[in-house]
Amino acid sequence: MKISIGGYSFHNTFMEGKMDVFGYLETVKYRYRMDSVDLWNGFFIDRSTPIYQLADKSYIRKIKEALDEKEMNVVNFAIDGAHLWDPDPEVRQKLYENALVHLEAAEILGAETVRIDTGGSYKKSEPMTEEQFEYTVTRYQEYAKRAADGGYKIGPENHMGASLLPREMKRLAEAVDHQAFGFLLHIGRWKADEMQGDDLVAPWTFHTHFDAKTAVDPLAVDKIRSLLTTGYEGYWGVEYNAPGNQYVEMEWIIAAVKRILSDAV
């Protein structure tokens, strides 16, 4: 089964100083016996400024060396701190510059898909203004062209702001209109059209995330079957930042996801 573990699943362990990115790779490879990683930039960014700065290229290359030594591939690189939209033009420009640095890192790491968010509030979801929509479309078209040249796909997760509105994401995908653009679908996480949301963005979905809520959802099997019907062939990522005992909690949710996938096919 094509299952991956989102790096954010070990956020609490990382914040306690008990794991770094190399420990994460060791954990995925040797504890859970997986050859694919769902990398999160939170392991190697500087959080001292509002726009997170990435570690230097030499550190990124060390991560790549560790991946190659373990014969592992990066199925998704989730990027925080480089989202597209901010109402302040100066901040927006800094976010753009940060995104370019992260895209270079994604290319060094050989990421197959990249998540860069639309921007907006985590607490409030509303349709994009015309200015925001035009800017967002233009930037994603630029990123998608670069992604196509580099052999990967790029797009947002239903994570913040307008990206939590599935009809806005469908509208965005239709406007960007590029084969290298798509979505990281966090299954069932919507602020509107919750029953239809996954289906609305399914044609553009290149990666997925399960959380603990999805893993026990009675409708989970139907949701997976629906994605498979649209032709989804990507990984089923597990992103579950358990409050504690994270290694054991990860064993539980991986088993739960395997059961769902087995029932769905």
Side-chain angles (χ1 to χ4, degrees):
M1 292 180 180
K2 295 170 68 175
I3 297 175
S4 61
I5 301 172
Y8 187 78
S9 298
F10 294 105
H11 174 264
N12 289 341
T13 303
F14 167 72
M15 294 303 289
E16 291 170 358
K18 297 178 180 177
M19 179 183 280
D20 62 10
V21 65
F22 301 104
Y24 162 72
L25 298 182
E26 293 275 334
T27 297
V28 172
K29 179 72 175 184
Y30 300 114
R31 186 173 187 127
Y32 302 109
R33 301 184 184 280
M34 296 180 183
D35 295 324
S36 300
V37 290
D38 200 339
L39 205 56
W40 169 56
N41 74 329
F43 279 121
F44 42 93
I45 51 176
D46 179 358
R47 299 167 183 272
S48 63
T49 59
I51 297 177
Y52 304 144
Q53 299 300 306
L54 191 62
D56 61 39
K57 289 182 186 178
S58 64
Y59 192 81
I60 302 300
R61 291 194 178 98
K62 288 177 183 178
I63 299 172
K64 175 60 174 171
E65 289 172 6
L67 287 164
D68 290 344
E69 287 169 2
K70 296 173 179 61
E71 299 183 323
M72 303 179 82
N73 61 309
V74 180
V75 296
N76 181 257
F77 181 33
I79 298 171
D80 287 344
H83 50 271
L84 274 66
W85 179 256
D86 189 278
D88 184 328
E90 291 186 8
V91 174
R92 204 155 63 231
Q93 178 62 25
K94 290 179 181 178
L95 287 166
Y96 171 65
E97 293 168 1
N98 202 31
L100 296 181
V101 173
H102 275 82
L103 289 182
E104 185 176 3
E107 290 155 6
I108 292 171
L109 294 167
E112 297 174 16
T113 65
V114 175
R115 183 268 280 168
I116 291 185
D117 286 320
T118 57
S121 170
Y122 287 103
K123 297 180 179 180
K124 185 178 181 181
S125 298
E126 57 188 13
M128 288 181 270
T129 65
E130 197 57 37
E131 178 191 11
Q132 180 182 356
F133 185 74
E134 290 179 3
Y135 177 86
T136 302
V137 169
T138 299
R139 280 286 181 244
Y140 277 132
Q141 287 175 333
E142 175 188 343
Y143 294 164
K145 183 180 183 302
R146 176 169 177 164
D149 291 342
Y152 57 97
K153 293 188 176 182
I154 192 166
E157 182 179 3
N158 46 331
H159 194 203
M160 62 194 300
S163 69
L164 290 163
L165 305 175
R167 296 186 190 279
E168 275 293 274
M169 292 301 92
K170 181 176 184 291
R171 182 168 78 105
L172 177 63
E174 290 171 343
V176 174
D177 190 25
H178 197 290
Q179 62 181 3
F181 176 82
F183 298 120
L184 192 173
L185 171 62
H186 191 114
I187 297 170
R189 185 169 66 185
W190 301 106
K191 294 295 186 183
D193 301 303
E194 292 185 32
M195 296 302 293
Q196 301 83 27
D198 293 354
D199 289 340
L200 285 169
V201 304
W204 299 278
T205 297
F206 56 57
H207 190 55
T208 58
H209 275 166
F210 278 83
D211 57 23
K213 181 180 176 182
T214 311
V216 298
D217 185 350
L219 299 176
V221 171
D222 291 337
K223 291 179 178 180
I224 299 313
R225 284 176 177 160
S226 181
L227 280 167
L228 291 171
T229 299
T230 65
Y232 181 71
E233 297 179 343
Y235 276 72
W236 306 97
V238 176
E239 186 182 69
Y240 171 42
N241 183 39
N245 204 19
Q246 291 198 308
Y247 293 106
V248 173
E249 288 289 323
M250 185 53 56
E251 290 174 0
W252 162 75
I253 195 169
I254 289 171
V257 170
K258 285 182 177 179
R259 183 176 184 179
I260 292 167
L261 295 176
S262 294
D263 290 343
V265 298

